[in-house]
Amino acid sequence: MVENILEVKNINLGFQSEDNFYQALYDVSFSLSKGKTLALVGESGCGKTMSAMSILNLIPKSAKIISGEVVFHGENILNKNRKEMSHIRGGKIALIPQDPMTSLNPLYTVGDQLLEVINIHQNLYGDEAWSKAIEAFEQVQIPDAKARLKNYPHEFSGGMKQRAIIAMALACNAEIIIADEPTTALDVTIQAQIMKLLKEIKENNHTSILLITHDLALVSENADEVAVMYSGHIVEKAPVAMFFSNTNHPYSKALLKSLPSNKSDMLDTIKGQPPALNQIINGCKFHPRCNFCMDKCMQEVPELAVIAQNHQSACFLNN
Ligand code: SF4
């Protein structure tokens, strides 16, 4: 049986503005299996990054988790205090951000920053810490590791910076890596190298990966399971092969149709725009853009329901 290492249960989250409260996540639930990659997919603003940041309790000041749990090693880590959470963050659950410069301090060498992480999370110092740092750099295939540790972030290319962040996760034996659009800022060749590296880490170290992406091509090559998000709701969940062979939700189908294909020079686009946070849409949030919208869709919210073994979808067409 596959072990669930992390369970996100019914997270409801909203933002407080001066005069209103806007809900951004609705009962978001998913689990991460040991040594597997779950891809959280959707357009910008659908709530995928906010869902991931909820796990680390790194949500903006104006945001509030109204209800829900994040269970890691049997404990709801949303109840942890700041010190306990900083031990988990970076040590057990590592974040690879879209822009590595948000994690690297330009004023310190990359080596000093990696050593600090090793000191804090592995309790190693001096030569032992240095050896660990070199080993981590070698594992992420940064050539001439010893010399490179003395470089400042600006002396690294985008791909090298991302490798250095991944080295930090490796040096701490992180059990989970949250990779938030980790290759968006990189060119295609480097993108493939970074994804290959993450895949190797998953396979060799049994690390679990939560991959946040809008790119379904990346999902098909790198994920084991998929959860599609739309406007704060998870609308479809399935193992990756089932998702691509038996896509159910109209939004997932529309996303797939908008993928570049060899068959046609023209790309399909999804009509309209995802709703803004302050836009009130009754019923299924996708209904204004859905080609299959029925009267019921404008009044009631479809629940995420089991439609086949390991396959869930939130659409009235399945009723
Ligand atoms: Fe479309 Fe209705 Fe299904 Fe929503 S519930 S995706 S509007 S058919």
Side-chain angles (χ1 to χ4, degrees):
M1 208 175 102
V2 191
E3 182 194 337
N4 280 343
I5 188 159
L6 182 104
E7 283 182 80
V8 172
K9 294 181 177 176
N10 304 99
I11 293 286
N12 287 286
L13 173 147
F15 285 89
Q16 184 67 56
S17 74
E18 259 178 27
D19 48 8
N20 233 324
F21 187 75
Y22 300 106
Q23 190 155 349
L25 296 181
Y26 298 82
D27 272 327
V28 169
S29 300
F30 55 84
S31 52
L32 206 49
S33 311
K34 192 169 172 60
K36 301 281 180 202
T37 297
L38 168 71
L40 214 46
V41 186
E43 292 164 285
S44 300
C46 69
K48 52 192 193 303
T49 294
M50 203 48 63
S51 301
M53 292 307 129
S54 303
I55 295 172
L56 295 168
N57 225 333
L58 283 178
I59 56 174
K61 270 198 179 137
S62 57
K64 186 174 175 1
I65 295 175
I66 311 156
S67 59
E69 291 184 359
V70 176
V71 180
F72 179 56
H73 286 303
E75 283 184 283
N76 179 12
I77 56 174
L78 292 182
N79 292 334
K80 297 272 178 201
N81 63 33
R82 200 187 263 203
K83 197 175 165 205
E84 291 167 329
M85 208 51 220
S86 66
H87 177 66
I88 292 172
R89 222 183 279 138
K92 304 208 178 291
I93 306 178
L95 174 68
I96 300 176
Q98 194 175 118
D99 176 5
M101 281 313 285
T102 56
S103 297
L104 291 171
N105 188 328
L107 301 177
Y108 295 93
T109 67
V110 180
D112 281 344
Q113 296 178 64
L114 176 53
L115 284 171
E116 190 187 0
V117 169
I118 293 170
N119 298 158
I120 295 170
H121 294 290
Q122 293 290 297
N123 208 19
L124 293 176
Y125 297 87
D127 290 349
E128 273 188 309
W130 261 104
S131 304
K132 187 87 185 165
I134 292 168
E135 187 189 314
F137 257 35
E138 285 172 348
Q139 275 178 292
V140 298
Q141 293 141 27
I142 293 182
D144 203 4
K146 245 186 200 169
R148 281 304 205 162
L149 282 165
K150 292 178 184 151
N151 287 163
Y152 286 86
H154 74 267
E155 296 174 275
F156 275 29
S157 66
M160 292 267 277
K161 284 185 201 121
Q162 233 21 339
R163 282 175 195 272
I165 302 284
I166 297 170
M168 289 181 186
L170 277 177
C172 296
N173 302 325
E175 294 171 59
I176 296 172
I177 290 177
I178 297 177
D180 186 7
E181 306 267 12
T183 57
T184 305
L186 307 174
D187 72 42
V188 181
T189 324
I190 308 295
Q191 185 177 88
Q193 290 171 6
I194 295 291
M195 291 316 299
K196 183 168 172 268
L197 181 61
L198 285 173
K199 209 171 186 174
E200 284 167 5
I201 291 168
K202 176 185 80 169
E203 281 159 14
N204 298 339
N205 301 7
H206 305 290
T207 311
S208 307
I209 297 177
L210 179 62
L211 175 65
I212 313 294
T213 183
H214 62 278
D215 185 346
L216 279 173
L218 216 61
V219 173
S220 70
E221 288 157 20
N222 296 284
D224 301 289
E225 292 163 304
V226 190
V228 179
M229 287 196 78
Y230 187 79
S231 194
H233 295 260
I234 291 191
V235 295
E236 185 161 4
K237 253 196 285 194
V240 79
M242 189 183 286
F243 176 78
F244 284 99
S245 64
N246 213 359
T247 317
N248 179 271
H249 196 277
Y251 176 60
S252 310
K253 286 182 180 170
L255 276 182
L256 276 173
K257 272 195 176 171
S258 60
L259 268 182
S261 129
N262 292 331
K263 293 180 201 138
S264 162
D265 292 338
M266 296 291 288
L267 291 185
D268 278 349
T269 51
I270 310 173
K271 67 178 182 187
Q273 297 290 327
L277 199 57
N278 59 0
Q279 202 176 334
I280 296 167
I281 295 183
N282 293 325
C284 171
K285 291 251 191 165
F286 187 56
H287 88 251
R289 305 175 78 189
C290 181
N291 293 331
F292 307 95
C293 179
M294 306 169 278
D295 286 348
K296 188 179 186 182
C297 307
M298 293 184 260
Q299 288 142 19
E300 294 175 39
V301 182
E303 277 186 20
L304 189 65
V306 176
I307 53 161
Q309 199 182 5
N310 297 325
H311 195 169
Q312 290 170 278
S313 180
C315 176
F316 290 127
L317 290 174
N318 297 313
N319 294 357

